Amino acid sequence: MTVDLAIIGSGGAAFAAAIAARRQHRSVVMVERGTVGGTCVNTGCVPSKALLAAAEARHVALSAAHVPGVRADAEQVAFGELIAGKDELVTDMRADKYTGLAAEHGWEILGGVGSFVDGPALHVELHDGGSRRITAEHYLVATGSHPWAPPVEGLDEVDYLTSTSAMELDALPSSMLVLGGGYVGLEQAQLFARLGTEVTVVARSRPASTEEPEISAELARIFTDEGITVHAHSQVRTVRRDGDGYVVATIESDDGSTRQLRAERLLVATGRRATTDGLGLDTVGVATDGHGSVLVDDELRTTHPRVWAAGDVTEHPQFVYVAGAHGALVVDNAFHDAGRRLDYHHLPRVTFTGPSIAAAGLTEAQAQQAGHDCETRVLPLEHVPRAIVNRDTRGLVKLVADRGTGRLLGAHVLADGAGDVIATAVYALANHMTTHDVAELWQPYLTMAEALKLAAQTFTRDITQLSCCAA
Ligand SMILES: Cc1cc2nc3c(=O)[nH]c(=O)nc-3n(C[C@H](O)[C@H](O)[C@H](O)COP(=O)(O)OP(=O)(O)OC[C@H]3O[C@@H](n4cnc5c(N)ncnc54)[C@H](O)[C@@H]3O)c2cc1C
């Protein structure tokens, strides 16, 4: 079989590339060894956010008493129904946004394991028997990433969960130990806690360690208030199962003290690594780094001129919108020599806890490292009208600006709906706006987005002296 573009993988990167190529009337074939759609729709963004939304519904009912006059309660969650509902949603979205689209745009998806052989060419071991050899003008490696677990004594013997298997459980665990304070670990921790599991988080550094320290501290406080125990600056040394089948973990904190933690289930969320094992990349001269990520230049070309890589399998940030942008860019660069590159300086990131964390641009530490003389402001949500009327002032906004020019360098939000709030900051950063510009922008009153404007105003004014509706 010979095509214009042969793609290994069928996730966000692969689909964006295939659609872009088909729009240009290029022939495409895709190879998928697992479930069509890849991580985001099957085991990542979609199931996790569906379950988080369900957990939030229960949490809102249980915490409604903070609003005078409102009485509500929530029973134990029917976990089986919840998981079945999530599965149905995933199946529908997969049919609507992935399998259906392939048929509409007209490319074939081969079920099987793909690897490179001399040529370059692809060898596909088909799931239903036999094999195929595919040659193409260009090849795209879009094989994504998989959960990575650290080398901990006993870990392989305790049947630990990953985010994938945790979201497929058939019963709600009574207690859970979560290893990892990154976004997947924090989302899963709060999800299970809000459904009724007793959750303990062990984080090697502070929770959400890539975010501003003020945000980590506030989030840790919020988790503690919700009954989630957080052991920061701690590492798990050994794990084992006791006579009752519970996991017992010995953790050591940075000060050298140790303690034992016991829980029904252990969830390991310590990061993800590129999936490149068995792909035969070295056969065709495609280089990877020490963690297996495919090395690419700014145009996403690998060390072979006709092999490209996109999404989680590269060293770039692991978000589906990055994967999608990569896929489309590869097609322009491969077939039109377009020389397109992506600008990541205003790339947003969101941790969908409640309240959620969203950020774009540089943290204060990154701005200093980059040589900026920077100025920062932190606005607690107690000054934000939307938060006040919601009777939930947990959270903050932190802005980082260049002192000399006033240019906004980074925005960091911990608030309900922070993911939507950050969109404003993305436009401001993309357009190189100053904090003065952001302070003068229209923002609708009684929205959380207004918090960005108010935070920008604090560079020149005392926000506590303003009337609540003042511009
Ligand atoms: C729990 C969780 C929550 C997340 N939430 C979000 C979120 O809210 N927002 C967000 O933007 N991102 C989120 N992400 C990240 C997002 O899912 C990924 O960045 C994105 O899906 C990566 O897309 P991709 O196309 O690079 O790879 P993938 O979607 O992983 O696709 C790779 C595919 O390649 C296949 N494959 C691998 N090797 C072979 C082979 N040899 N032959 C054939 N097929 C092969 C795999 O089976 C897989 O289907 C989340 C991830 C997780 C785990």
Side-chain angles (χ1 to χ4, degrees):
M1 173 189 236
T2 299
V3 289
D4 294 326
L5 180 64
I7 306 173
I8 318 185
S10 72
F15 262 72
I19 291 169
R22 289 299 299 135
R23 282 210 178 114
Q24 298 169 22
H25 309 291
R26 300 280 175 176
S27 55
V28 173
V29 69
M30 197 177 262
V31 184
E32 172 55 58
R33 71 175 181 188
T35 311
V36 171
T39 303
C40 186
V41 71
N42 293 304
T43 57
C45 333
V46 172
S48 62
K49 272 74 229 184
L51 291 176
L52 277 162
E56 190 187 357
R58 181 168 189 269
H59 175 75
V60 167
L62 284 174
S63 56
H66 75 278
V67 184
V70 176
R71 317 256 185 279
D73 204 355
E75 294 181 9
Q76 271 299 335
V77 64
F79 194 69
E81 273 175 50
L82 197 67
I83 297 295
K86 175 267 294 178
D87 289 343
E88 200 182 320
L89 193 103
V90 165
T91 305
D92 287 351
M93 278 186 79
R94 184 169 56 232
D96 198 28
K97 303 284 179 199
Y98 289 87
T99 37
L101 281 186
E104 247 169 63
H105 286 273
W107 77 81
E108 192 181 357
I109 304 178
L110 299 176
V113 182
S115 59
F116 282 96
V117 289
D118 269 343
L122 284 188
H123 171 83
V124 183
E125 267 316 302
L126 295 167
H127 287 328
D128 50 11
S131 63
R132 283 268 189 105
R133 181 183 165 90
I134 299 169
T135 52
E137 190 180 339
H138 290 282
Y139 299 86
L140 174 62
V141 181
T143 48
S145 62
H146 56 274
W148 173 82
V152 170
E153 192 187 321
L155 193 58
D156 288 337
E157 277 91 63
V158 294
D159 186 25
Y160 66 85
L161 299 167
T162 63
S163 57
T164 303
S165 49
M167 294 190 288
E168 287 165 357
L169 286 170
D170 48 20
L172 186 69
S174 58
S175 55
M176 182 183 277
L177 197 56
V178 177
L179 296 196
Y183 85 91
V184 173
L186 294 174
E187 288 181 5
Q188 296 282 317
Q190 198 177 40
L191 153 59
F192 279 94
R194 287 184 167 187
L195 292 177
T197 300
E198 191 187 322
V199 174
T200 303
V201 177
V202 179
R204 205 178 46 173
S205 174
R206 52 188 166 87
S209 62
T210 54
E211 304 300 343
E212 290 287 8
E214 294 88 346
I215 287 186
S216 291
E218 177 75 344
L219 189 78
R221 196 178 62 75
I222 291 166
F223 267 36
T224 305
D225 282 353
E226 282 194 19
I228 301 169
T229 307
V230 180
H231 294 288
H233 302 284
S234 300
Q235 296 197 50
V236 174
R237 295 300 179 205
T238 62
V239 290
R240 63 178 171 83
R241 283 211 182 265
D242 68 11
D244 299 325
Y246 273 58
V247 176
V248 179
T250 305
I251 65 163
E252 183 179 344
S253 55
D254 284 358
D255 64 10
S257 61
T258 58
R259 75 173 76 206
Q260 290 209 326
L261 303 172
R262 186 173 176 272
E264 187 183 333
R265 298 306 302 248
L266 171 68
L267 167 59
V268 178
T270 43
R272 294 174 68 84
R273 291 273 164 93
T275 304
T276 46
D277 270 5
L279 271 180
L281 293 175
D282 42 354
T283 318
V284 291
V286 171
T288 54
D289 71 5
H291 294 315
S293 299
V294 177
L295 295 176
V296 286
D297 64 15
D298 289 347
E299 295 175 18
L300 300 179
R301 195 189 293 262
T302 69
T303 43
H304 187 292
R306 285 165 50 215
V307 181
W308 305 76
D312 280 16
V313 78
T314 68
E315 288 175 299
H316 287 289
Q318 296 184 338
F319 300 114
V320 74
Y321 40 95
V322 172
H326 277 183
L329 177 136
V330 161
V331 169
D332 286 347
N333 289 347
F335 293 105
H336 303 287
D337 214 4
R340 275 183 59 205
R341 292 150 187 233
L342 290 176
D343 176 359
Y344 299 92
H345 97 270
H346 52 279
L347 181 76
R349 53 182 187 272
V350 183
T351 301
F352 290 89
T353 43
S356 41
I357 306 171
L362 302 178
T363 61
E364 184 176 355
Q366 288 167 338
Q368 280 165 354
Q369 268 162 22
H372 288 281
D373 174 15
C374 63
E375 201 177 354
T376 65
R377 292 289 186 277
V378 176
L379 179 76
L381 289 197
E382 70 205 43
H383 299 295
V384 177
R386 177 76 253 173
I388 296 168
V389 299
N390 284 356
R391 297 176 183 277
D392 182 3
T393 55
R394 301 170 306 163
L396 57 94
V397 173
K398 178 170 178 177
L399 297 183
V400 181
D402 182 88
R403 192 187 301 276
T405 62
R407 188 179 144 190
L408 183 68
L409 299 172
H412 310 269
V413 183
L414 175 66
D416 258 351
D420 298 311
V421 174
I422 208 66
T424 302
V426 169
Y427 289 114
L429 288 162
N431 289 296
H432 308 290
M433 291 170 79
T434 62
T435 53
H436 174 76
D437 296 330
V438 177
E440 295 301 312
L441 275 181
W442 288 112
Q443 288 288 3
Y445 180 57
L446 284 176
T447 61
M448 206 56 97
E450 199 190 9
L452 273 184
K453 178 188 174 101
L454 294 171
Q457 288 179 340
T458 63
F459 279 84
T460 52
R461 291 171 233 177
D462 177 358
I463 204 76
T464 60
Q465 301 302 311
L466 291 179
S467 154
C468 76
C469 313

